[in-house]
Each structure stands twice: as structure tokens, then as C-alpha cells.
Amino acid sequence: MVRPLSPTDVARRVARDIPDGSYVNLGIGLPTLVADVVGPDKEIVYHSENGILGMGPAPAAGEEDSELINAGKQPVTLLPGGSFFHHTDAFVMMRGGHLDVSVLGAFQVSETGDLANWATDEAALPPAVGGAMDLAVGARRVLVVTTHTTRDGRPKLLSRCTYPLTAAAVVDRVYTDLAVLDVGPEGFVVREVAPGVTPDGLQAVTGAPLRFAPDLAVVHPD
Amino acid sequence: MIDKRVATLAEAVADVADGATVLVGGFGNSGVPVELVHALLEQGARDLTVVTNNAGSGETDIAALIREHRVRRIICSYPRSAGSVWFEQFWRAGEIELELVPQGTLSERMRAAGAGLGGFFTPTGADSLLAEGKEVRVLDGRRQVFERPLPADVALIKADRADRWGNLVYRTAARNFGPTMATAAALTVVQVRQFVELGELDPEAVVTPGIFVDRVVEVAP
């Protein structure tokens, strides 16, 4: 029986791939869970596009500062050693290759590492992009966290993205509720699968041909 | 004698012309010069191009400018938010033009304007719809899109403290677009929490030197 990973388990698995001492930007949504599960053995400096390095967790109730917020506009704190800087410098850090890791959500990822995470084919809403395109092109490693399929069961990992691209050939690794996949010259290579997931079963919910690593393992979140 | 302090918000925005391009600082509700925007609303300038990260929410500041039909065009990175009701209504009705710009490109285009540059190539968005109609070149092995500077007539920003020379320090993440916008406008107007005496700001900690600032007005919190 397939036992998909919970969002927290996926976050734990991502956290394991983030080395001690990294400068990291976590995208809005699922990626923010990563900060909650990184162990105390690692010192990670979190970056926020609105001019924060050394961002800490949400403040206690009643201690919020309406001007100290993260990219998702939620109140946060500053850790000792943290700093504030202006927007242009925040994006120098992103675009200029100074961040070690960017963890992003996605609508679709292609087998060549194309990322679609800013627009769908929904025309009723005005378009909005924020910092998504800068995050995708700049970080040394781009990790994507997403469910393996849409809510109505359509694959999100595809031969080619059908939604508008955020950036081409940028994604290094994808973490879903069903598998951990590397993206490289050979397309998607499955490194790990969730308990109960078979190669045929995974292929059936993926829109691109999969290769499986010779040492394919079951995901251990911790 | 240099004294950039003005007594009232009305005086600070008195000469903003119809059709002006106006940079407005802020990210979400952090660092938005709310009182200056409300003064601009009272002043009555119309047909504005507003450059800002978000398109306002609720009934205040930029949302109010849109609601009162003052904004012809908005240049921003993320117009959608929980309360961006007025923007969305005007956008659907075709009553406001939207130029969507990736956030880092928005900031860097203003920086280029302030720095006297003719533009820049960036990999951000080069493979996206937002590069349509723009020059794309392969430079250093990457596709990069040419982006033009974004100069303005007026910048409205919020800082924490200022002296009469217009030197500024900011508070936490409210700094956001302020320092860049201050360089990119012909007229930079700043609201601050507090005026201080010349010499009172630590020169090692001044974020925006007064050369980029034209007017400062004190708005008690």
C-alpha cells in the first residue's frame, strides 16, 4: 500500500539536503515548513527578499512588529547576527549567485529542469510574479517541493511544462509526496520513493519518462 | 543653509503634476508611506503611473488612489493580495493598465535610473512571457534579457529618522525599496517618524545620504 509522505516529512527530507552554514531562501507555501524541521545541529541563515538575512521564526502572540515581515507578509523575528538591507541588495544576493539554496514550490517541472511556478492558464486573475523568477535563476542549488500530482490527479512532472515558464533548466532536485528525483541531462532520475511506491506506479502518475537510480531507496525523512 | 524639512504633508506633495510617474515604497504593509499617499489623494493629481511592489489592499493608500480613479497605469511585481479588491476590479474592467515586472528587475531598473545607466541584461525572466518584445542575448552562456531604466518624477518613501539635510535611517524591513527609489526620482519626498538635529545620525549608519532626498516631513506614529 502506498503511503505518501506528509508535508512535514517532505520538509524533513529537504532539510537533510541543506548543509550546515548554508544561506537559504524558502519560497512561500510548502517550502516554509523546512525552517520548522531543520535540526539544532545546523546553523542556517534564512534570507527574505524584502531585505532580511538571519530571519527567525514567528514572534509570540502580541510581540508582532507590523514592519518586520517575510515574503509571505507574515510577521517574523530577527536572530542575533541578522541584518537588514534594501531591496536591490536583497536581489543582488538572489540573482548574483550568493544564496546556496533556494527552495521553491511549483505548478509544473519539466524533465529538463524548466520551472513553472508563477502563472497558470487561469485568465480571470491578474498576473503576479513577485520574486519567483529571480529566485529560480540565481541560487546555486534550486530545490522544488511539490505534490506529485494536482488535486485532480494530473501529473506535475512533465516532459514539457504547459504553463508559462518561470525559468528554463534551473531545477536540480524535486521532492514530492511520492519520490525524490534529480533533474539532469538524462531527465528525471528517481533517487528515493515513499513507502509502497513502485516504479510502475510512480511512472503512471508522472508525465515524463523516469529512470530509476540503481541504488533506489525508500525515503527516510529523518 | 540647507533645510529639506517641510511642515505639512500637503506641502510635501503640493506640486505633483497630473500624468506624473510616482514611485511608492513598501512591501505588503511594511514601509508604505501611507500618509504621503493620502496627501497625494487629497492633492488631486490624476492620470498617474504608480510604480510599487504591490497594488494596495483594503481601502487605504494605493488601493484608495486606484478607487478614486487617479491611477492610469501601475508597474509592479505582485498586484494580487488578500485585499487587492480595487486593483482587481479596475483591472477586470480594463480601467487600469498593468506592467508586470519581476521584483528584482523592478528594483534594478530603478537602480539603473538612479545610477545613470542605459539599462542592463539580466537572466531573470529571459525565458518567460515577460521577455516578449525585448532583446534577448546569450551572454556568458546564459540567455539574458535587456531591461531599461525606470526613472520617475516623484518618489514617496517612508523612513524612520531624518535630519534637515535629508540624511535617512530606516527601521527593520520597512527599508525595502526606499533607498533605491530615493535615487531614481526627480523629486524624492520622505515621511519620517522623527526629525533629529544635524550630526545626531551616526554617519556610519546613514542609509540614504541627503543628496538623494528633496523633502522630509515628520509624521508622528
Side-chain angles (χ1 to χ4, degrees):
Chain A
M1 199 181 92
V2 175
R3 279 183 286 135
L5 301 175
S6 69
T8 303
D9 280 347
V10 175
R12 284 205 181 95
R13 179 61 193 81
V14 175
R16 222 172 73 202
D17 283 350
I18 300 179
D20 184 25
S22 297
Y23 291 88
V24 176
N25 186 294
L26 300 177
I28 296 167
L30 281 179
T32 56
L33 291 176
V34 172
D36 301 333
V37 297
V38 168
D41 53 320
K42 287 184 189 172
E43 196 162 53
I44 307 288
V45 181
Y46 293 106
H47 168 274
S48 188
E49 66 188 17
N50 53 321
I52 311 172
L53 269 180
M55 183 170 60
E63 314 238 313
E64 298 90 351
D65 175 338
S66 63
E67 300 200 303
L68 182 45
I69 58 174
N70 63 14
K73 321 290 194 303
Q74 302 301 312
V76 292
T77 50
L78 190 73
L79 298 176
S83 54
F84 298 118
F85 37 88
H86 64 81
H87 240 83
T88 305
D89 278 353
F91 281 80
V92 162
M93 293 174 197
M94 292 155 73
R95 194 193 310 105
H98 305 281
L99 292 178
D100 297 300
V101 178
S102 168
V103 185
L104 293 166
F107 297 137
Q108 296 175 336
V109 178
S110 85
E111 62 183 354
T112 54
D114 295 355
L115 173 67
N117 77 344
W118 74 282
T120 64
D121 43 16
E122 170 71 66
L125 289 173
V129 62
M133 292 184 180
D134 302 278
L135 277 168
V137 301
R140 292 187 188 135
R141 258 179 92 66
V142 174
L143 310 180
V144 164
V145 182
T146 181
T147 52
H148 205 89
T149 59
T150 61
R151 265 178 215 158
D152 52 0
R154 285 174 297 151
K156 290 177 149 190
L157 309 189
L158 304 168
S159 295
R160 290 176 61 94
C161 296
T162 60
Y163 289 156
L165 288 194
T166 304
V170 293
V171 176
D172 294 297
R173 185 169 263 202
V174 183
Y175 304 77
T176 77
D177 49 337
L178 300 181
V180 178
L181 309 93
D182 280 336
V183 186
E186 301 178 322
F188 289 116
V189 177
V190 184
R191 296 284 166 200
E192 299 169 24
V193 289
V197 172
T198 63
D200 285 350
L202 192 66
Q203 183 64 74
V205 291
T206 307
L210 296 175
R211 286 164 180 267
F212 291 84
D215 56 346
L216 181 69
V218 174
V219 181
H220 289 287
D222 293 307
Chain B
M1 158 123 174
I2 300 171
D3 192 350
K4 298 182 179 179
R5 294 172 298 179
V6 295
T8 65
L9 286 157
E11 194 181 334
V13 299
D15 48 1
V16 177
D18 288 353
T21 295
V22 183
L23 313 179
V24 181
F27 179 89
N29 292 325
S30 175
V32 179
V34 175
E35 287 79 4
L36 277 175
V37 176
H38 288 167
L40 182 61
L41 189 67
E42 294 235 329
Q43 186 260 15
R46 324 184 60 86
D47 203 26
L48 301 172
T49 294
V50 171
V51 183
T52 187
N53 191 61
N54 307 105
S57 70
E59 299 291 333
T60 58
D61 55 86
I62 292 162
L65 277 184
I66 294 172
R67 184 190 67 213
E68 300 303 323
H69 298 265
R70 307 298 169 78
V71 184
R72 180 175 61 82
R73 177 177 171 79
I74 191 159
I75 303 178
C76 71
S77 89
Y78 210 89
R80 285 206 310 263
S81 66
S84 57
V85 178
W86 285 110
F87 168 76
E88 290 187 32
Q89 184 173 318
F90 275 61
W91 179 80
R92 281 204 187 85
E95 289 180 30
I96 190 168
E97 292 171 38
L98 168 66
E99 179 180 344
L100 192 72
V101 182
Q103 197 172 153
T105 299
L106 184 69
S107 191
E108 196 65 21
R109 285 178 64 191
M110 292 186 277
R111 196 197 79 84
L117 301 175
F120 55 93
F121 280 94
T122 174
T124 301
D127 289 301
S128 80
L129 294 173
L130 301 186
E132 276 179 5
K134 297 175 182 170
E135 182 186 357
V136 175
R137 280 195 207 170
V138 177
L139 295 167
D140 303 319
R142 303 188 82 176
R143 284 166 54 79
Q144 311 214 26
V145 57
F146 186 65
E147 294 284 358
R148 295 274 292 141
L150 184 44
D153 301 300
V154 183
L156 304 180
I157 64 180
K158 180 181 179 182
D160 188 54
R161 284 173 296 154
D163 60 27
R164 66 176 171 83
W165 282 14
N167 294 307
L168 305 178
V169 295
Y170 298 80
R171 189 177 166 280
T172 72
R175 182 182 309 191
N176 57 63
F177 287 93
T180 301
M181 287 181 169
T183 70
L187 174 71
T188 293
V189 182
V190 186
Q191 69 171 72
V192 296
R193 179 180 59 85
Q194 189 183 31
F195 287 147
V196 298
E197 291 300 315
L198 209 58
E200 213 174 302
L201 295 176
D202 176 357
E204 301 284 0
V206 168
V207 175
T208 296
I211 191 170
F212 297 122
V213 173
D214 298 288
R215 294 174 193 160
V216 287
V217 59
E218 196 177 55
V219 177

